[in-house]
Amino acid sequence: MRTSFAVGVDVGGTRIAAGLVERKGRIVKDAVMLTPDSGPFAIVDAIIDLIDDVTAGTHPSEVAGVGIGLPAQIDFLRQSVEFCTNLPLAGVDVRSLVMSRSRYEVTLDNDGNLAAFGESRFGAAKGARDFLMLTLGTGVGGGLFLDGEPYRGSRGMGGEVGHMVVQMDGPPCPCGGSGHIESYMGRAALGAKGCEAVERYDGSAILAEAGGDKTEVTAEHVVTAALKGDEVARGILLEAGDVLGRALVGLVNLLNPKLVVIGGGIGESCGFIMDRAEEVMATEAMAGRRDVTFVQAELGNDAGVLGAAALALDEYDSREGLHR
Ligand SMILES: [Zn+2]
């Protein structure tokens, strides 16, 4: 039987969003809550509550299953959470816990992979067989589509674009490594750069955005000051764009993608970061640079939910022997 809906759940460091999604990608019911900070089981409870909430009133036979995106490295074949920096979920059997208390099949995947999945099925990357998605937000996430399929690597942990090394012995990264893209572009890194800048330069609008308190400077203050034209703040973000552009030189040389899709809160609000990254890529990459178009993501905050639902629908169809 061809079901009409799937549930997509997008678990982030600060909020969890869920949606009941039609096959064509329309979210017919959604719900959101803050991510609990009282341990892994509270997070699982929240996921189950959200699934119950969005499926209330829908017959279970109409729902293909649940896809859950986690900010974690997932062993896709075993469906286990292997590594998770922002939430206490590593080693927790999220899939079994959710399945035992809901009536649906559950599939886990990395949130960056699912954002790419959403953009591929319903958004900016529709029809693109080879593309790269970058989400610039709290962390730097990514997803790869190669030859029309999501590329996860041998066990599902590939596609971590944000954790490519761009500087030997560079600044620490939340993952435990150093000199990664996220060491320069993650919220923590941009906030730290903002703090340094207000110590060094008098009169930067960053301090005003932080209410005059040097200890309160965050990435958001840097972004807002930059959007208002503050040169110091713009300088911080342009430097991050340089770093990203260098990483993209490597990625374009390696993968020859057709599209680079940029999403995430910071990516979507600060187009000039990507303009700088694109400039660097266009100057330094080999011939494949001519094939690449940079585009903004189209699905915004819904990319994760839509991608998770699309994954659940695909998994259902392959279990049932149906074809897209
Ligand atoms: Zn890292």
Side-chain angles (χ1 to χ4, degrees):
M1 193 179 99
R2 203 169 246 277
T3 49
S4 307
F5 306 104
V7 176
V9 182
D10 183 22
V11 180
T14 52
R15 63 195 268 286
I16 307 177
L20 182 69
V21 180
E22 282 179 345
R23 278 189 179 267
K24 284 190 176 158
R26 191 170 70 94
I27 298 175
V28 292
K29 192 169 180 196
D30 60 2
V32 67
M33 65 168 77
L34 292 178
T35 308
D37 57 5
S38 45
F41 299 106
I43 298 172
V44 169
D45 287 344
I47 293 171
I48 291 164
D49 287 348
L50 287 166
I51 295 169
D52 288 346
D53 193 349
V54 298
T55 54
T58 304
H59 196 275
S61 67
E62 283 283 276
V63 179
V66 177
I68 302 177
L70 298 171
Q73 285 196 297
I74 309 291
D75 183 325
F76 193 73
L77 297 178
R78 289 189 187 161
Q79 286 287 293
S80 56
V81 184
E82 298 290 317
F83 187 82
C84 190
T85 41
N86 295 320
L87 296 173
L89 293 176
V92 177
D93 192 353
V94 176
R95 177 173 183 262
S96 299
L97 288 167
V98 175
M99 270 180 56
S100 66
R101 286 169 52 200
S102 80
R103 57 195 109 188
Y104 306 111
E105 276 288 332
V106 171
T107 312
L108 308 180
D109 203 347
N110 167 267
D111 56 356
N113 287 351
L114 289 180
F117 214 98
E119 294 291 340
S120 162
R121 190 63 54 81
F122 307 117
K126 245 196 232 175
R129 294 186 64 76
D130 298 279
F131 75 92
L132 175 64
M133 167 115 193
L134 279 167
T135 52
L136 311 181
T138 303
V140 178
L144 287 176
F145 260 66
L146 300 179
D147 209 13
E149 297 291 333
Y151 181 80
R152 299 188 178 90
S154 62
R155 284 207 290 146
M157 292 180 279
E160 290 286 357
V161 176
H163 300 279
M164 285 177 57
V165 177
V166 284
Q167 173 77 52
M168 200 161 76
D169 301 325
C173 183
C175 75
S178 64
H180 295 178
I181 298 179
E182 192 170 310
S183 318
Y184 294 89
M185 296 238 40
R187 276 212 165 82
L190 294 176
K193 287 266 179 199
C195 285
E196 258 174 50
V198 297
E199 292 289 347
R200 240 183 316 148
Y201 305 101
D202 287 335
S204 165
I206 298 171
L207 189 57
E209 292 299 328
D213 185 345
K214 287 182 180 175
T215 62
E216 291 291 316
V217 172
T218 65
E220 268 60 37
H221 301 137
V222 176
V223 167
T224 318
L227 292 174
K228 288 181 179 170
D230 180 66
E231 285 305 319
V232 173
R234 268 181 78 86
I236 292 173
L237 296 176
L238 288 173
E239 196 187 329
D242 277 336
V243 168
L244 194 57
R246 292 206 162 74
L248 283 164
V249 170
L251 288 163
V252 165
N253 288 344
L254 181 69
L255 301 170
N256 187 203
K258 183 86 185 148
L259 278 185
V260 174
V261 183
I262 315 301
I266 292 175
E268 283 168 34
S269 59
C270 301
F272 60 90
I273 299 179
M274 289 318 300
D275 292 346
R276 172 59 69 89
E278 186 175 359
E279 249 173 65
V280 173
M281 188 284 300
T283 314
E284 296 187 19
M286 294 158 77
R289 67 176 186 257
R290 294 192 288 263
D291 298 339
V292 191
T293 309
F294 280 56
V295 293
Q296 286 282 342
E298 289 177 1
L299 304 177
N301 279 338
D302 293 336
V305 164
L306 289 169
L311 174 69
L313 285 164
D314 279 13
E315 292 292 310
Y316 174 87
D317 289 352
S318 78
R319 282 196 303 276
E320 299 287 314
L322 301 167
H323 295 286
R324 259 190 271 143

